[in-house]
Amino acid sequence: MSATPPPDASGSLPGWLAPVVEAASTITVHQLTRFMPPEDVEPRRGAVLMVFADRDADPSSPDDLAHRGELLLTERNHHMRSHPGQVSFPGGSLDAGETPVEGALREAYEEIGLQPAEIEVFGELPELWLPPSNFAVTPVLGYWRDRGEVRIASPDEVHEIHHVAIADLLDPDNRITVRHPSGWLGPGFLIGPDRDVILWGFTAGIVARLFSHLGWADDWDRARVRDLPDHMLQGVPRGTDLAPNTPQNTRLEE
């Protein structure tokens, strides 16, 4: 199953996004995850919004390899019952009758006040399945063209908003292998001003595999292993989505 063909927006998007536009129509579900929704299962459906934006600090030339903008990420409230402190894209479950685009834009507005009119949606990635929770998630790709302000609109859900330079995510010094107490190992990224926030799990898997598909990822030291901090382990029930991109106790490679 391949991605949904994007709208014809490539001519109005910045040049550095051209590979991402192409990926939206060529990448397959198996290049992003080991799991796709089986035909005999009716999963709960949701969507997340992958927001790409320009950065003032980017080089003036869009052809410069460092000019790759940023991704907008949220850090879940540290007191949530499931996945506290986990870094993710804005998003959640679809309401009845909603499309993934509608649901992703609504959730982003409810969580961080991101105005839907400011986002130019240019594609969707394939629907990805999280078997333990029977949740099927569609990543929606959007360009933050008319950039306004965001804020923590739902403090019960969101602890922090992170504007993460894609160049920082690609920096091998910010790449780690994350280890969960279950023995699961997967790709991770160090983000935040002090590089003390860990991006891991489902979202890190999407980012790592998309960058690999784009040919953007550099070699990094997979032997650099970091355990998850205690606050990320509080309240995570046994048997939930510890490793949505790979069978438990095996390693997710890019």
Side-chain angles (χ1 to χ4, degrees), residues 98-184:
E98 272 188 328
T99 66
V101 170
E102 292 168 340
L105 292 172
R106 173 185 54 77
E107 286 282 346
Y109 175 73
E110 292 176 356
E111 291 179 10
I112 59 174
L114 182 62
Q115 295 291 337
E118 297 174 359
I119 301 298
E120 181 175 338
V121 173
F122 62 88
E124 299 176 13
L125 297 181
E127 188 176 56
L128 310 176
W129 187 45
L130 284 64
S133 58
N134 192 29
F135 201 61
V137 179
T138 299
V140 175
L141 307 178
Y143 174 53
W144 198 2
R145 176 179 299 283
D146 301 315
R147 188 164 180 161
E149 298 293 329
V150 290
R151 68 189 191 286
I152 298 176
S154 178
D156 289 338
E157 297 178 90
V158 180
H159 172 75
E160 187 62 84
I161 299 169
H162 296 281
H163 300 262
V164 185
I166 292 176
D168 289 342
L169 292 170
L170 296 173
D171 187 338
D173 288 342
N174 296 329
R175 298 295 307 271
I176 58 173
T177 294
V178 175
R179 179 171 53 204
H180 189 273
S182 66
W184 175 85

Side-chain angles (χ1 to χ4, degrees), residues 38-69:
E39 295 181 357
D40 59 347
V41 171
E42 183 57 38
R44 298 184 298 128
R45 287 191 152 80
V48 295
L49 186 63
M50 295 182 65
V51 180
F52 295 83
D54 291 302
R55 290 175 63 84
D56 292 338
D58 278 343
S60 58
S61 172
D63 296 327
D64 191 304
L65 292 179
H67 188 118
R68 284 175 173 153

Side-chain angles (χ1 to χ4, degrees), residues 21-32:
V21 175
E22 174 66 19
S25 61
T26 61
I27 198 166
T28 68
V29 65
H30 301 295
Q31 291 170 307
L32 287 169

Side-chain angles (χ1 to χ4, degrees), residues 164-219:
V164 185
I166 292 176
D168 289 342
L169 292 170
L170 296 173
D171 187 338
D173 288 342
N174 296 329
R175 298 295 307 271
I176 58 173
T177 294
V178 175
R179 179 171 53 204
H180 189 273
S182 66
W184 175 85
L185 297 169
F189 301 81
L190 298 176
I191 67 171
D194 299 319
R195 301 295 186 264
D196 57 351
V197 178
I198 296 177
L199 165 60
W200 73 290
F202 176 75
T203 305
I206 295 174
V207 171
R209 289 194 168 190
L210 177 61
F211 287 173
S212 180
H213 180 78
L214 293 171
W216 287 359
D218 292 324
D219 288 337

